[in-house]
Amino acid sequence: MGYAGKEPPVRAFAEAEEGGAALEMGLLLGLAAFFAFTLRHVVATPLLTTFTKAAKVVSQALG
């Protein structure tokens, strides 16, 4: 490492990043979309199926 002084500079191993925030935001949005899709299929679909069956039973009972 080429530095002049007794101690190494603080940012000796850090490199300048360009577009890091955009990349992180894209990854977070992708992860959020994945979790939303998963929750929809794991939680919402069975509940909606149950409510749809219950609505059909009530409509048949009233019909």
Side-chain angles (χ1 to χ4, degrees):
M1 297 200 157
Y3 61 89
K6 295 180 182 178
E7 297 179 14
V10 175
R11 297 183 57 102
F13 297 106
E15 293 183 19
E17 292 184 21
E18 293 184 16
L23 181 65
E24 288 178 9
M25 182 60 72
L27 289 173
L28 284 175
L29 289 175
L31 189 62
F34 171 75
F35 280 130
F37 182 77
T38 303
L39 280 176
R40 177 181 169 218
H41 284 284
V42 170
V43 175
T45 303
L47 286 176
L48 287 176
T49 303
T50 303
F51 288 134
T52 303
K53 289 178 184 177
K56 287 180 183 178
V57 168
V58 169
S59 68
Q60 288 177 357
L62 293 176

